[in-house]
Amino acid sequence: MVKGSDLKVDKKKCIACGACVASYEELFKFDEDGKSEPIADGECEDCEIADVLEICPQNAISKKS
Ligand code: SF4
């Protein structure tokens, strides 16, 4: 289980490629600039955090500490 509230996106690194939104539509949406942001109340029952972090070619997704 991965929750959107566990995730953050570094918008300086995000190139708006859309990979995270395409693969994990429960967890990410585009903001008004076309960059990704976590959906605060989003959840993915069958997701693994490592897979979610790996989807980003820019390493822009991280886990909130
Ligand atoms: S995969 Fe990474 S670079 Fe692409 S939209 Fe998501 S956060 Fe941005």
Side-chain angles (χ1 to χ4, degrees), residues 40-64:
D41 60 355
E43 292 181 352
C44 180
E45 195 75 46
D46 300 323
C47 294
E48 298 287 342
I49 186 75
D51 296 334
V52 175
L53 301 185
E54 263 178 26
I55 196 77
C56 180
Q58 295 295 110
N59 269 329
I61 303 170
S62 59
K63 196 172 184 300
K64 271 189 193 166

Side-chain angles (χ1 to χ4, degrees), residues 9 14-20 36 56-58 60-61:
V9 172
C14 176
I15 55 168
C17 73
C20 58
S36 168
C56 180
Q58 295 295 110
I61 303 170

